[in-house]
Amino acid sequence: MIRDTYRLSNGEYDLIVIGGGINGAAIANLASSKGLKVALLEKNDFASGTSSKSTKLIHGGLRYLENFHFSLVREALRERSIQVKKAPHLVKPLEFIVPVYKEAKRPLWLIRLGVTLYDILSGASTLGRRQYLSNKKILQNVPGLKQENLIGGVSYFDAQMDDARLCLENVMQADAQGAHVANYIEVRELIKENGRCVGVRTYDHIDGRYCTIKAKNIIAAVGPWTNEFMRKEKNQSPGQIRPTKGVHLVYAGRFSKKAILVFNEDDGRVFFIIPWGENTLIGTTDTDYKKGADDVSVNDEDIGYLLEATRRVFPNRSIDPSNIIDTFAGLRPLIKDEGSPSKVSRECVINQSFSGIYYILGGKYTTYRKIAEDCLKKIYSNKFRFSQKEFCVYGGGRITESVAAVSKKFSVAEDIVERIMAVYGSRYEDVLKIVTDGPKYKKRLTTNTDIIQAQIIYAQEKEMAQTKEDIYYRRLGMRYLVKDAKAMIKEIEQVIINRSH
Ligand SMILES: Cc1cc2nc3c(=O)[nH]c(=O)nc-3n(C[C@H](O)[C@H](O)[C@H](O)COP(=O)(O)OP(=O)(O)OC[C@H]3O[C@@H](n4cnc5c(N)ncnc54)[C@H](O)[C@@H]3O)c2cc1C
């Protein structure tokens, strides 16, 4: 992927997509697959906004059933099955355990009904059958779980994904189909002719240059930045989204091999305790957020809420803040609505503003492909047909070679080949080819022996990573695995310096 800003400034596009989160990336992917001339502009790194701060579930959303959002759940389950097929290296089935207690606001029969309905709505695309579980079975699966008043529970299947890489692979697919994509390019102003927006004025955060890019149609897929962006059209715009903040903790060690869905009886909210590698992702909070989208951060109250909720479910386990590896906060770009944040619909709306810009409002990560399809159908009045079969993400092809054969071909250890296949899917050879530049590229990092130097070079030269943080957080996903971020980021920097010498 080449970041060619000269090309961008000279281009006349069918479509400018603003925002390189999952929605913008998917729109660029689908539009370029239809031969449209597309520019995708992201002011920071791809997926640096909400699309790397999610709970990392491709799911129907069991809890939306109690709000009777059946069509949303059915659609999300359909999309889940597409993602599991089209990006099998990044989207994988995961079993969830739901323990139920005597004092629970949602009784056991309701939870059983919920998972039954969930399986029925999944139809043929189910990832595994639900089970009704006894106390004994639950405690076998989740040792250390609170036993007092436990009256049984259920298990069901959903999917877990790597959100930042799935977004990146949509960007890379768009690039491979001819889209011009660039990160660190911010849209600062809108260019209008006769009241209609015909282009954008951008600022390049890498070289400090401004440029003008024109297009027949413009889409703002700027997620939680929507209200701020709308003010570029109209100073006093009240905005159309209601951002709510969600915080996660990465906690050292595992609580269970399976994911756990628990109801926090204090506020009735759902939260997850999910295995991620050898560690655990705990989240999330859901609170209204009024400040600028660039300023979102985690505070002590957020951490306290999640630790307390976890302690309640694991009363005999010492839940110690010193075991927190990292924390992160994201903003849900929900459609403006009244009521408690958890109750606001996750549905997506595509609106056109008075100057002709299309805005993506609301939605969830899971339905990103459908959101992109709906958006393009709206703009091009159903001119294009989108089939699920045609949809591709960059590394989603079939892997036909065995780990042993690839290991022999590149003289790289089998465990490394296995991991590279798990991250880059069918594009594993693109990464491994770098080891032919010199034996040092197959060396493992000292700060994380699961990673080899070639992956850092690949991130920088082929995946458009601009900074060592882009590599650490989003290309390699190290925030969930490594406690000493500083040391690893320093080593990444050293590998890059050595390459240029
Ligand atoms: C805590 C939390 C947990 C979640 N968990 C899940 C989950 O498990 N499953 C699920 O399906 N959904 C989940 N979601 C929802 C999902 O993550 C979001 O719906 C989705 O990521 C939104 O993607 P987006 O592309 O609209 O926004 P973003 O990813 O935020 O992308 C918008 C991009 O626009 C860029 N931008 C802004 N202004 C400009 C400008 N002027 N010029 C250029 N670029 C600009 C930003 O830098 C940003 O990268 C979760 C959300 C949160 C907050």
Side-chain angles (χ1 to χ4, degrees):
M1 225 171 18
I2 296 168
R3 187 178 180 278
D4 186 343
T5 49
Y6 177 77
R7 188 173 69 172
L8 275 172
S9 59
N10 285 293
E12 275 268 342
Y13 293 94
D14 291 316
L15 205 57
I16 292 174
V17 185
I18 307 164
I22 188 58
N23 288 329
I27 293 166
N29 178 359
L30 262 65
S32 56
S33 77
K34 294 294 164 199
L36 291 170
K37 212 170 164 220
V38 181
L40 173 66
L41 311 172
E42 164 55 50
K43 75 169 179 168
N44 201 290
D45 187 22
F46 301 119
S48 57
T50 311
S51 298
S52 59
K53 314 286 170 39
S54 79
T55 311
K56 292 155 215 333
L57 299 177
I58 292 287
H59 63 158
L62 185 60
R63 76 181 178 82
Y64 305 131
L65 288 177
E66 67 180 355
N67 299 338
F68 304 108
H69 293 153
F70 298 126
S71 60
L72 175 73
V73 175
R74 190 186 292 111
E75 178 175 89
L77 288 169
R78 205 178 305 128
E79 290 301 312
R80 183 186 75 178
S81 81
I82 298 172
Q83 294 304 319
V84 171
K85 279 187 211 128
K86 295 294 184 161
H89 57 307
L90 297 174
V91 184
K92 300 197 165 105
L94 179 67
E95 190 173 358
F96 286 73
I97 306 281
V98 189
V100 181
Y101 294 91
K102 206 157 127 196
E103 66 273 15
K105 289 190 187 92
R106 294 151 175 111
L108 185 55
W109 66 264
L110 187 67
I111 304 296
R112 285 181 172 172
L113 181 67
V115 287
T116 307
L117 199 53
Y118 205 61
D119 267 0
I120 292 169
L121 290 172
S122 305
S125 62
T126 178
L127 300 177
R129 234 184 107 75
R130 70 189 176 274
Q131 282 184 57
Y132 299 157
L133 303 177
S134 63
N135 283 5
K136 191 175 161 203
K137 205 82 201 151
I138 291 176
L139 295 168
Q140 272 169 4
N141 278 300
V142 191
L145 188 79
K146 182 182 145 194
Q147 291 187 36
E148 198 189 340
N149 291 336
L150 183 67
I151 52 165
V154 298
S155 72
Y156 71 100
F157 281 83
D158 250 324
Q160 184 175 41
M161 57 144 171
D162 183 332
D163 51 4
R165 286 211 63 91
L166 188 53
C167 177
L168 180 73
E169 289 214 5
N170 272 275
V171 176
M172 293 180 86
Q173 183 66 30
D175 172 82
Q177 291 161 177
H180 295 173
V181 308
N183 51 7
Y184 294 95
I185 296 266
E186 179 174 355
V187 171
R188 290 260 169 105
E189 285 168 48
L190 303 173
I191 298 165
K192 289 187 188 170
E193 283 172 13
N194 303 321
R196 203 186 132 76
C197 193
V198 293
V200 294
R201 185 105 180 110
T202 62
Y203 175 74
D204 186 335
H205 285 275
I206 305 290
D207 66 14
R209 285 193 313 182
Y210 286 86
C211 96
T212 297
I213 309 173
K214 291 206 162 181
K216 294 188 187 106
N217 282 297
I218 297 172
I219 301 172
V222 290
W225 284 265
T226 300
N227 292 348
E228 287 165 50
F229 196 90
M230 282 180 160
R231 279 179 217 119
K232 291 186 202 302
E233 291 212 51
K234 193 174 163 205
N235 276 343
Q236 297 302 319
S237 165
Q240 291 190 12
I241 62 152
R242 173 182 175 182
T244 74
K245 184 171 88 161
V247 168
H248 287 89
L249 308 178
V250 184
Y251 196 86
R254 270 190 184 178
F255 288 75
S256 161
K257 278 188 193 152
K258 296 180 181 169
I260 311 160
L261 183 158
V262 239
F263 300 104
N264 188 352
E265 291 306 330
D266 275 1
D267 56 10
R269 291 204 54 248
V270 164
F271 82 99
F272 293 100
I273 299 176
I274 302 178
W276 189 278
E278 290 308 310
N279 299 321
T280 301
L281 200 60
I282 301 176
T284 166
T285 61
D286 199 353
T287 48
D288 274 313
Y289 182 79
K290 305 266 184 241
K291 290 194 239 159
D294 287 319
D295 303 322
V296 63
S297 61
V298 178
N299 60 35
D300 290 348
E301 208 179 310
D302 301 321
I303 296 176
Y305 174 93
L306 292 173
L307 287 179
E308 206 34 57
T310 311
R311 280 190 193 111
R312 238 174 271 139
V313 200
F314 289 94
N316 300 321
R317 185 171 171 149
S318 134
I319 308 291
D320 188 342
S322 68
N323 288 330
I324 297 174
I325 293 179
D326 204 349
T327 60
F328 56 93
L331 295 174
R332 297 175 187 84
L334 306 179
I335 298 166
K336 224 172 205 178
D337 197 359
E338 300 300 318
S340 95
S342 313
K343 291 262 152 66
V344 178
S345 168
R346 266 52 177 170
E347 251 148 336
C348 175
V349 170
I350 298 151
N351 276 353
Q352 191 178 17
S353 70
F354 62 94
S355 67
I357 298 183
Y358 291 89
Y359 285 89
I360 311 290
L361 309 169
K364 10 190 283 167
Y365 197 119
T366 304
T367 48
Y368 78 83
R369 191 208 60 86
K370 183 70 172 44
I371 291 172
E373 181 181 316
D374 289 348
C375 178
L376 293 170
K377 279 183 174 163
K378 180 160 183 157
I379 299 175
Y380 294 100
S381 314
N382 292 321
K383 180 177 162 200
F384 301 112
R385 286 183 66 81
F386 295 93
S387 84
Q388 296 168 8
K389 263 196 184 151
E390 277 170 22
F391 174 72
C392 291
V393 299
Y394 195 64
R398 251 167 63 87
I399 297 178
T400 49
E401 281 183 301
S402 71
V403 169
V406 177
S407 157
K408 208 168 156 203
K409 183 151 88 185
F410 291 97
S411 303
V412 170
E414 287 195 12
D415 67 307
I416 291 287
V417 172
E418 219 167 309
R419 275 193 206 98
I420 285 181
M421 283 179 171
V423 175
Y424 307 91
S426 56
R427 300 287 171 165
Y428 63 90
E429 275 222 0
D430 299 354
V431 184
L432 288 169
K433 270 182 202 151
I434 293 171
V435 306
T436 60
D437 290 358
K440 67 178 175 193
Y441 295 116
K442 59 176 92 158
K443 271 199 184 153
R444 296 168 193 260
L445 300 196
T446 51
T447 48
N448 185 325
T449 53
D450 290 345
I451 305 286
I452 59 170
Q453 290 196 13
Q455 290 174 264
I456 291 167
I457 306 305
Y458 184 72
Q460 199 200 17
E461 295 178 3
K462 306 286 181 198
E463 295 183 327
M464 216 183 269
Q466 303 295 331
T467 69
K468 45 197 192 299
E469 287 79 14
D470 293 348
I471 300 177
Y472 178 85
Y473 287 108
R474 288 170 291 278
R475 304 302 180 280
L476 299 178
M478 286 297 126
R479 131 176 293 154
Y480 317 104
L481 305 172
V482 172
K483 197 151 190 198
D484 192 352
K486 261 194 191 157
M488 188 165 175
I489 290 174
K490 208 160 168 222
E491 192 175 8
I492 290 172
E493 187 174 28
Q494 199 52 53
V495 173
I496 294 169
I497 292 169
N498 292 347
R499 171 79 163 181
S500 59
H501 287 156

